[in-house]
Amino acid sequence: MTGYYADHLSAVRLQRCYEIAPPRVRQYLQAEIERVLTEIHGGDSVLELGCGYGRVLDRLTAKAGTVVGIDTSAASVALAHRRLGDRPNCHLLVMDALALGLKDRIFDVVVCIQNGVSAFGADQTTLLRESLRVTKPGGAVLLSSYSESFWEDRLAWFELQAQEGLIGAIDPSRTGAGAIVCRDGFRATTVTRAEFSAWASAVGATAKIEEVDESSIFCVLRAL
């Protein structure tokens, strides 16, 4: 999926996905960011994994001391630079979340929301271990996925994206049970509470799992 986003759904095309989001989806997006902001205090250093064109960074830079955003798409990072480049506390890098070229224990908060854990198509254990490695003791790693109760709204949003040609036509025969599958190879899955718990156990971490806005499942890990 990382290749799909970098090749087909980056920069202005990714931005368009959010521009056409219906009101209920916009509420969900806002609720996710508000939940993240509760973990951030003035002066904190924050890392966002899969920052895209800087939609979430826009809010994080207003509260945190220093924010670093990484993405594998050079085009998305370039757009984020154009949108946020005048903010001295924001730093943008083209980088893989599975192999962070960053020092140990330097961030107070690491953020991977908007179902990034699915969109990355990554090895989850490696992703969590790298996230925890760069997090200060007592710091938080925040991950999110979609709630089951948000399925109809999520599907309607992706159908709008397909109608605009941003993603391929949705394949109804393969779509369901939390997964949206398109005929061009696009696939977006979700992560359940049980899966988040299993991932945390695999890396020796304790997870706090909660539902937010009846749209998101948040998993909060604390670095030791």
Side-chain angles (χ1 to χ4, degrees), residues 29 33 36-37 40 45-71 76-87 89-93 107 109-114:
L29 296 170
I33 295 173
V36 169
L37 290 175
I40 298 174
S45 56
V46 179
L47 170 67
E48 185 189 4
L49 308 177
C51 67
Y53 63 91
R55 177 183 61 85
V56 176
L57 292 175
D58 188 35
R59 294 288 305 280
L60 301 185
T61 55
K63 187 172 184 181
T66 302
V67 179
V68 176
I70 70 160
D71 202 284
S76 288
V77 171
L79 179 55
H81 266 294
R82 293 195 292 274
R83 298 180 72 247
L84 305 169
D86 61 343
R87 303 188 188 188
N89 66 334
C90 184
H91 308 279
L92 298 158
L93 301 167
F107 294 102
V109 180
V110 175
V111 179
C112 181
I113 60 172
Q114 185 55 69

